[in-house]
Amino acid sequence: MQFTLKDYQNDAVGEVLRNLADARDDFHRKGRPVAFSLTATTGAGKTVMAAAVIESLFYGNDDFDFEVDPGAVLLWFTDDPSLNEQTRFRLMDAAGDRIAHSRLVVVENTFNQEKFEPGKVYFLNSQKLSKNSLLVKGAPDDIQAPLWERTASPDLRVFTMWDTIRNTIEDDRLTLYLILDEAHRGMRTPSSRDRAEKSTIVRRLINGANGVPPVPIVWGISATVERFNAAMTEAEGRLSYPSIVVDPARVQESGLLKDDIRLDFPAETGVFDLVLLARATRKLKESTQLWREYAEAQDTRADPVAPLLVVQVPNSPTRELLLSALTTICNEWPDLPPDAVAHVFGEHTPIDLGAYLIPYVSPEKVQDRSHIRVLFAKDAISTGWDCPRAEVLMSFRPANDETHITQLLGRMVRTPLARRIPGHDRLNSVECVLPHFNRKTATAVAEVLLGQKAEGDDGSGDTGGGEGRRVLFKPVDMNINSAISRAIWDAFDALPSQTLPRKAAKPTKRLTALAQALSRDGLRPNARKDVYRELFGVLDGLMARYKQKVEEATYGLLEVEGETIAAGVNTKKVRAVGHFSEAADERAIDAAFKSAGRILSPDIARKYADHIAVPEDEEDGLFDAHIKVTALAQIEGVQAELDREADALTKKWLTEYRVAIKGLSDERRAVYDDIIAMSAEPQRIDILRPKIRTEEIEKADGSRLPTKSAHLMSDDMGEFPVGSLNTWEMKVLESEMRQPGFRAWYRNPGRASEDSLAIAYKDAKDNWRRMCPDFIFFSGSDDDIKVSIVDPHGFHLRDALPKLRGLADFTEEYGSAFHRIEAVAEMEDKTLRVLDIKIDSVRQAIRQAVDAEQLYLSDAAIDY
């Protein structure tokens, strides 16, 4: 893969591969076709995950012990040709040379093969299987009719597409995997003649019909797969595996999706289209400047992000509308280049407005054509199109078109750099300007954006809403509070935070990734050589320690022991008649060495074999080395010892280069954060200072929200809005601000991000999560700043006990860095009770508790 998968992506890939391995077995051994789905929110990187799966089918995957399928044929199917083309480019981009251009085949009308070829991905769309398509000419509705009875196709093709599909399925050496992209669309209930035909085509392809057998393995991919899952469950004779669901909270936490969506709308009645379009243009100019400043501050050679303004118009925009809109934009931004405007209308032709000419551009090409800064669109790109640099949406759609708006806005939620910009809420947001909306209809849009489906929505416009996302109506940017002393900020910098552990963590892989990064950044130029030297020394020692066991294992590898049995026809008995021994051939040794690579890591196994190979006899020497490495890897305790040494060296280097790593650019520092997180246990990471913090300043009725002083971030008056706090959170804040020695406070962001203190915990299903305690308080003098965590959290919430246990574990490890660590809850009588988690007996009570409310009522808690 060209890209390092996010942890949730890696987990999903592992689950898909396990399903594919089981499905292949179910089909070839038991004759049962299989279906399953992968559901992940828009922007989660479904195509990147698919690329990793496809690469694994072609080349195997050591991390998941997945073997190559030499007969794999993949049919990527959608109802949109442009979506297929976009996917093909993304697969090449994600996998690089591993999925070469020659492996990705677009099925054109000239396609004419008896079977699909193994090791390739074929892109097909429903239009190519419609009754008027050249690919199926000559195949009547009753396609089981003999070939000689069919009408000849216009080009006298020998095989129709249905022939090719049938012949591929019936070849026992091949396995046809159907990847149904945007799977919900193929399963929609027909509402017109066109949709009915498309639906029939998809179902006919999946279920088989008139002599064409069902597709062996169907993998549906979509943000919403309920309709697909229901159709697969109803399919006669098809086995349905449980759906693989990617947690939206993990996607949001990854930084791939923008955190904030800002909604602008008029607060009074009137026609404000062009006024708000001018405002949207100013937002684009501001965003352009912010990205330029960010790029300069990062001292990177990469060009700054070129943000895009999407102007959404009705399906039949008038010439006057387009002309007035473009004139307004150019008046507001006179320096906008002539070629900076384009459109993606279905007409595919330039729009001549006299003074202006707006060229057409294919939706999938907009992202890479950074000179385009303003894009006119209708609703045709609301599905299957992504443009991460699209940061401002101006919609001329009327208020009853909220679904069209949310669908398009849902395509704009990806972050431009595929990562969160640390501490910068403005650069982690997308703006939406709605001149025809009021607060009520804007709120309806907000609910969809937060993950709540609109009535009648089929899910095709899923926006990735989930835990950690905010929709802001009246946002104001907060900057660093000038009243906060340097000593307090230094104390903030020293605070520990935790990573989210990985399920498939391998210490040797983590160490080699760290070595590569250190070499790349010039922090330790020979890091990779140092890794090999250190680990080879460990393996040399293990080879000597287990010399006899290695020799015994070597003999077992070289000799294949077997037993011969005989069954008596008359006696009906089975008896052993002898043993045999055969020398293992080269293929058997290669397979065993590959297994050693899964234990030690392929890179370490290969390099160590080269290290111990006898140089005089290169070929036989390497063969013998492979046997020795394989034998060593099979000995119990060897992997654990190597992992311990790799983990120790990783921790040593991370400590040694911690300060240097903090001085790198955000992009490079993010690489190290990922490496640190490549562990089965939570790891410590540093918190980064916020730069711009965005908060609401008005209530729903338009009145100003209350504010408090002494927050680390503030407006120009030194105030911070506290309207998001509930009644008892306000009680806690006001009580802490009255404490002797109080200096400052920090409203910890509710999402696990670079500028938040995050604590890892295990939920009720034993999955790792991260919580962000509500408040961090600073007290004492500049010579002795004391930091406290105070977390108001309702005991009635399902995650109350798991989070308390995570807080207790965090205190065990990092408690010395804090003056107080306390959890507060409001009881039924409105009194507040507190658990002082720095007390040993309280932590013990938390671990033994079965009910959070009773815990707060027990002697472990006291009145706050």
Side-chain angles (χ1 to χ4, degrees):
M1 287 290 291
Q2 295 273 85
F3 306 130
T4 300
L5 295 178
K6 299 290 185 181
D7 56 334
Y8 72 84
Q9 292 173 334
N10 199 54
D11 291 345
V13 167
E15 291 186 64
V16 171
L17 292 177
R18 282 187 285 272
N19 274 6
L20 292 180
D22 292 343
R24 192 167 60 206
D25 183 69
D26 266 320
F27 178 73
H28 284 294
R29 293 184 59 228
K30 303 171 187 175
R32 295 187 296 189
V34 174
F36 69 93
S37 61
L38 170 68
T39 175
T41 188
T42 298
K46 293 185 285 291
T47 307
V48 172
M49 290 184 264
V53 170
I54 293 169
E55 183 179 310
S56 300
L57 281 167
F58 294 163
Y59 297 101
N61 190 311
D62 293 322
D63 288 343
F64 298 105
D65 199 15
F66 185 84
E67 296 289 341
V68 174
D69 181 359
V73 175
L74 285 86
L75 185 60
W76 191 288
F77 191 87
T78 71
D79 67 355
D80 185 348
S82 63
L83 181 56
N84 268 350
E85 190 65 8
Q86 181 172 320
T87 300
R88 188 170 69 90
F89 282 117
R90 283 188 187 167
L91 288 177
M92 288 189 291
D93 189 38
D97 295 338
R98 298 280 281 177
I99 303 180
H101 181 272
S102 59
R103 288 185 179 268
L104 305 177
V105 181
V106 177
V107 177
E108 303 290 0
N109 287 325
T110 55
F111 188 89
N112 187 12
Q113 290 183 194
E114 180 184 6
K115 303 172 188 175
F116 292 127
E117 297 178 39
K120 291 188 176 182
V121 183
Y122 293 89
F123 293 90
L124 185 64
N125 59 74
S126 54
Q127 290 86 344
K128 296 286 177 62
L129 291 181
S130 63
K131 60 184 179 181
N132 294 321
S133 169
L134 292 176
L135 284 175
V136 297
K137 284 289 186 180
D141 290 338
D142 183 11
I143 60 174
Q144 68 177 359
L147 185 64
W148 56 85
E149 292 183 7
R150 301 181 189 178
T151 57
S153 60
D155 57 357
L156 297 177
R157 71 172 60 250
V158 179
F159 303 103
T160 71
M161 181 51 58
W162 292 112
D163 293 329
T164 303
I165 293 171
R166 183 183 62 241
N167 294 337
T168 303
I169 295 172
E170 292 177 346
D171 189 333
D172 292 338
R173 297 166 299 177
L174 303 177
T175 306
L176 180 61
Y177 301 86
L178 173 65
I179 303 177
L180 195 60
D181 196 8
E182 300 291 350
H184 64 280
R185 296 169 65 181
M187 301 295 120
R188 65 176 57 170
T189 302
S191 58
S192 68
R193 188 172 183 178
D194 179 55
R195 286 185 179 178
E197 184 181 358
K198 287 182 180 179
S199 179
T200 302
I201 288 170
V202 175
R203 290 174 181 269
R204 185 175 177 181
L205 178 63
I206 293 171
N207 299 329
N210 299 327
V212 177
V215 171
I217 300 170
V218 181
W219 172 23
I221 304 176
S222 177
T224 50
V225 292
E226 291 87 352
R227 192 170 287 128
F228 169 83
N229 289 342
M232 294 303 98
T233 302
E234 294 167 3
E236 185 177 349
R238 186 171 290 278
L239 181 62
S240 290
Y241 292 169
S243 180
I244 298 168
V245 181
V246 176
D247 185 350
R250 294 180 70 187
V251 180
Q252 194 69 44
E253 186 177 327
S254 72
L256 286 180
L257 303 184
K258 290 162 184 166
D259 293 319
D260 296 337
I261 297 179
R262 303 172 177 222
L263 299 182
D264 276 7
F265 50 89
E268 56 187 282
T269 304
V271 180
F272 303 105
D273 297 36
L274 299 182
V275 173
L276 291 182
L277 178 56
R279 176 178 172 81
T281 307
R282 288 195 298 274
K283 288 177 177 288
L284 179 67
K285 291 172 64 178
E286 291 170 5
S287 181
T288 301
Q289 181 61 27
L290 287 172
W291 278 113
R292 186 179 295 118
E293 292 172 357
Y294 177 74
E296 291 172 354
Q298 293 297 298
D299 192 24
T300 176
R301 294 181 181 178
D303 293 332
V305 171
L308 178 76
L309 165 63
V310 178
V311 181
Q312 187 183 32
V313 298
N315 285 342
S316 299
T318 65
R319 174 185 173 87
E320 289 72 25
L321 172 63
L322 296 176
L323 183 58
S324 60
L326 194 50
T327 301
T328 300
I329 292 169
C330 292
N331 288 342
E332 190 63 43
W333 195 354
D335 296 332
L336 190 69
D339 64 345
V341 182
H343 77 86
V344 287
F345 296 170
E347 292 79 3
H348 293 202
T349 56
I351 299 173
D352 188 352
L353 298 176
Y356 306 102
L357 183 68
I358 309 177
Y360 168 79
V361 61
S362 298
E364 66 272 11
K365 296 180 180 179
V366 175
Q367 171 65 18
D368 295 329
R369 297 189 178 180
S370 57
H371 65 279
I372 297 176
R373 307 301 306 281
V374 177
L375 184 72
F376 284 87
K378 298 177 184 178
D379 63 355
I381 58 173
S382 61
T383 302
W385 173 76
D386 291 296
C387 187
R389 66 184 184 89
E391 297 205 345
V392 185
L393 170 66
M394 165 68 190
S395 182
F396 284 96
R397 289 275 182 177
N400 60 359
D401 272 0
E402 61 194 54
T403 299
H404 289 292
I405 292 170
T406 53
Q407 286 182 343
L408 180 52
L409 194 55
R411 312 309 304 180
M412 298 170 60
V413 294
R414 290 193 181 190
T415 48
L417 301 179
R419 59 179 172 84
R420 182 180 286 109
I421 304 303
H424 204 307
D425 283 356
R426 277 295 300 274
L427 295 184
N428 295 322
S429 67
V430 59
E431 308 257 11
C432 183
V433 183
L434 306 171
H436 296 283
F437 277 53
N438 56 28
R439 179 173 284 274
K440 180 180 178 181
T441 50
T443 300
V445 172
E447 289 174 351
V448 178
L449 296 174
L450 288 172
Q452 306 166 31
K453 285 185 186 178
E455 185 177 352
D457 182 18
D458 70 353
S460 61
D462 178 86
T463 64
E467 183 180 342
R469 171 174 292 177
R470 300 183 301 173
V471 176
L472 306 173
F473 294 99
K474 284 288 185 177
V476 169
D477 293 332
M478 307 282 150
N479 295 295
I480 291 176
N481 190 341
S482 59
I484 303 301
S485 71
R486 179 175 178 178
I488 291 174
W489 278 114
D490 288 344
F492 180 90
D493 293 339
L495 294 177
S497 185
Q498 286 184 309
T499 62
L500 191 70
R502 301 278 178 88
K503 289 181 181 178
K506 292 191 175 183
T508 51
K509 189 173 181 179
R510 182 180 180 220
L511 176 58
T512 52
L514 175 60
Q516 185 171 357
L518 291 172
S519 296
R520 153 75 169 74
D521 294 314
L523 302 182
R524 192 180 184 102
N526 297 314
R528 288 180 67 85
K529 290 182 179 179
D530 294 341
V531 165
Y532 296 137
R533 185 177 62 252
E534 293 282 345
L535 295 187
F536 292 172
V538 174
L539 292 171
D540 285 343
L542 292 169
M543 191 75 78
R545 187 194 310 175
Y546 297 114
K547 181 179 180 181
Q548 186 169 346
K549 289 185 177 181
V550 169
E551 290 175 353
E552 292 171 357
T554 298
Y555 175 79
L557 289 168
L558 292 173
E559 296 291 330
V560 179
E561 299 285 343
E563 183 180 15
T564 303
I565 61 174
V569 176
N570 296 324
T571 63
K572 307 294 185 183
K573 292 182 179 180
V574 177
R575 69 185 190 281
V577 296
H579 296 268
F580 67 86
S581 177
E582 296 285 346
D585 62 11
E586 191 171 329
R587 286 186 301 174
I589 298 301
D590 286 344
F593 183 69
K594 192 173 183 181
S595 298
R598 287 193 284 270
I599 296 171
L600 305 177
S601 93
D603 184 53
I604 296 299
R606 185 175 61 256
K607 294 287 187 181
Y608 186 60
D610 292 340
H611 171 69
I612 64 174
V614 178
E616 297 87 56
D617 190 352
E618 187 173 335
E619 188 171 335
D620 289 343
L622 189 58
F623 181 79
D624 291 342
H626 281 191
I627 295 173
K628 287 184 180 180
V629 171
T630 304
L632 180 64
Q634 292 179 349
I635 297 172
E636 185 177 354
V638 166
Q639 181 181 5
E641 182 72 21
L642 187 66
D643 286 348
R644 270 194 300 272
E645 293 296 330
D647 195 47
L649 185 56
T650 299
K651 290 179 179 178
K652 176 185 175 184
W653 282 358
L654 286 172
T655 300
E656 183 177 346
Y657 297 103
R658 185 180 69 86
V659 175
I661 291 171
K662 288 188 73 170
L664 297 174
S665 68
D666 289 346
E667 180 183 12
R668 293 305 302 164
R669 194 166 55 238
V671 172
Y672 290 92
D673 286 344
D674 284 340
I675 292 170
I676 293 170
M678 291 169 63
S679 173
E681 297 296 327
Q683 300 293 305
R684 173 177 176 154
I685 54 174
D686 294 323
I687 304 176
L688 301 181
R689 295 186 187 187
K691 300 179 181 72
I692 294 180
R693 179 81 171 265
T694 305
E695 296 292 332
E696 290 273 24
I697 61 167
E698 287 188 6
K699 296 181 181 178
D701 59 8
S703 59
R704 297 280 295 187
L705 290 170
T707 61
K708 292 289 183 182
S709 61
H711 191 275
L712 299 190
M713 308 294 289
S714 71
D715 60 18
D716 294 340
M717 304 299 292
E719 298 291 309
F720 185 86
V722 290
S724 63
L725 304 183
N726 60 33
T727 305
W728 58 287
E729 288 173 336
M730 281 295 294
K731 287 182 183 178
V732 169
L733 175 59
E734 290 170 349
S735 174
E736 293 294 330
M737 294 182 75
R738 290 194 299 267
Q739 295 297 317
F742 168 81
R743 295 286 302 279
W745 65 289
Y746 185 63
R747 174 65 157 137
N748 200 33
R751 56 181 178 266
S753 56
E754 294 81 356
D755 58 338
S756 66
L757 191 158
I759 295 173
Y761 72 97
K762 283 190 174 181
D763 65 13
K765 296 182 179 180
D766 210 36
N767 293 316
W768 281 106
R769 305 280 184 176
R770 286 200 291 180
M771 63 170 288
C772 299
D774 284 342
F775 296 120
I776 302 173
F777 293 103
F778 301 84
S779 59
S781 65
D782 277 359
D783 294 331
D784 184 22
I785 295 294
K786 295 180 173 62
V787 185
S788 299
I789 293 175
V790 180
D791 184 38
H793 191 75
F795 56 74
H796 61 285
L797 298 173
R798 187 171 51 183
D799 61 1
L801 266 180
K803 285 186 174 179
L804 284 172
R805 292 183 182 125
L807 203 53
D809 292 340
F810 180 83
T811 305
E812 290 275 5
E813 189 161 1
Y814 304 110
S816 60
F818 298 91
H819 178 54
R820 293 155 50 215
I821 300 179
E822 297 178 349
V824 182
E826 184 179 59
M827 313 308 291
E828 288 187 10
D829 61 0
K830 302 302 180 183
T831 60
L832 298 181
R833 298 275 288 176
V834 59
L835 294 166
D836 185 347
I837 303 180
K838 290 199 70 174
I839 299 175
D840 291 344
S841 60
V842 173
R843 296 197 297 275
Q844 187 67 21
I846 289 172
R847 294 191 175 100
Q848 294 174 350
V850 294
D851 181 82
E853 182 179 9
Q854 292 304 313
L855 180 63
Y856 279 101
L857 290 171
S858 72
D859 293 338
I862 59 174
D863 290 337
Y864 179 67

